[in-house]
Amino acid sequence: MAKFCPNCGQPVTENEKFCHQCGSPLQTSVDSQPADRLGANTPVPNADNISIVDICKNPKAILLKSASPLPRKAAWIKWGYIISLIAAVVNLGVGFFIFAPLFIMDNLIISYQKGKIRRLKFKFRGSITPDDIFARLQPSLMSKYGNAISFDRDGNSLSVEYNSIIYDINLNDDNTFSIWWRKSIAGAIFSFNEFKLYKKIRTGTPMIAYELQRQFNIQ
């Protein structure tokens, strides 16, 4: 008869002392019926039940407290634009002289920050499979955002499309995950506004990352 961990429902053998999925001790016996591991009411193992190898060891990993957009870097540049506009009213040449370097600087900063967002690492834990992520995250996102969002799976690859941007969820070896954004086909054809793209990325990335951490009770 198959045996299962009483905490998470992972199949285990009778000789195992600890569950290889959640780290819970398997004392004298294990359940003969699997728990509903991915059900809405199934609790995620807390920190006391997580094996030491599953705990995130990256001190720089990000733990989000909300799905708020990431802050815009160099937000002070907008005041430079306002000054250049005022200067242009007085003297068009002076206004352009102020505006041009600000515009170039702003684009360089945005280009750098878009790449940096791809390299962010968010706190997670090991022993979580793409099956687990898809089963928990997909219904949660669909219930909140409906047809505005879609979740796709191809083998072990997971991607979320939102607002013409595709976000690939990548699990890292240090028990973190990263989100690699890319334009969808429609986004690549019709979107030429890098400022608008930057805003979309700052909104979509933390939205998905926060929901993923929340679904697995990452603390």
Side-chain angles (χ1 to χ4, degrees), residues 83-100:
I83 293 173
S84 67
L85 180 61
I86 295 173
V89 174
V90 178
N91 186 305
L92 184 61
V94 173
F96 178 78
F97 181 78
I98 298 175
F99 175 83

Side-chain angles (χ1 to χ4, degrees), residues 5-116:
C5 172
N7 183 67
C8 70
Q10 178 72 15
V12 296
T13 64
E14 292 186 0
N15 296 328
E16 287 184 287
K17 295 182 178 180
F18 297 91
C19 175
H20 56 271
Q21 171 72 14
C22 68
S24 295
L26 306 174
Q27 298 174 347
T28 57
S29 63
V30 292
D31 294 342
S32 59
Q33 296 295 327
D36 182 12
R37 293 178 58 234
L38 300 177
N41 297 321
T42 303
V44 179
N46 58 37
D48 293 334
N49 290 328
I50 298 175
S51 170
I52 189 66
V53 298
D54 292 337
I55 298 173
C56 176
K57 305 179 186 67
N58 189 333
K60 295 183 179 180
I62 300 170
L63 177 62
L64 296 174
K65 299 299 184 181
S66 73
S68 300
L70 298 174
R72 188 196 193 288
K73 299 299 182 180
W76 56 266
I77 287 183
K78 68 179 182 180
W79 296 107
Y81 287 138
I82 294 174
I83 293 173
S84 67
L85 180 61
I86 295 173
V89 174
V90 178
N91 186 305
L92 184 61
V94 173
F96 178 78
F97 181 78
I98 298 175
F99 175 83
L102 283 173
F103 183 79
I104 294 173
M105 184 185 301
D106 201 8
N107 274 275
L108 290 174
I109 292 173
I110 285 177
S111 179
Y112 173 77
Q113 291 299 326
K114 288 190 300 182
K116 188 176 181 179

Side-chain angles (χ1 to χ4, degrees), residues 98-207:
I98 298 175
F99 175 83
L102 283 173
F103 183 79
I104 294 173
M105 184 185 301
D106 201 8
N107 274 275
L108 290 174
I109 292 173
I110 285 177
S111 179
Y112 173 77
Q113 291 299 326
K114 288 190 300 182
K116 188 176 181 179
I117 290 174
R118 283 174 168 162
R119 299 189 295 272
L120 294 177
K121 287 191 172 184
F122 299 93
K123 187 177 180 181
F124 211 42
R125 66 177 181 89
S127 301
I128 295 177
T129 68
D131 281 334
D132 298 329
I133 293 175
F134 185 81
R136 285 183 179 269
L137 190 58
Q138 194 266 354
S140 175
L141 291 176
M142 294 300 293
S143 66
K144 288 186 176 182
Y145 303 99
N147 294 332
I149 201 165
S150 62
F151 204 140
D152 185 41
R153 177 171 183 191
D154 183 10
N156 286 333
S157 300
L158 299 171
S159 59
V160 178
E161 182 172 348
Y162 178 69
N163 207 5
S164 300
I165 305 295
I166 298 174
Y167 301 90
D168 298 319
I169 301 172
N170 301 312
L171 300 178
N172 303 317
D173 293 336
D174 57 352
N175 296 341
T176 64
F177 68 88
S178 304
I179 297 180
W180 183 275
W181 64 266
R182 53 191 169 93
K183 293 181 181 179
S184 65
I185 296 177
I189 295 175
F190 299 108
S191 177
F192 302 98
N193 189 329
E194 293 302 306
F195 299 97
K196 187 175 181 180
L197 174 62
Y198 180 41
K199 184 176 181 179
K200 288 181 179 181
I201 296 167
R202 290 189 297 111
T203 300
T205 298
M207 178 188 77

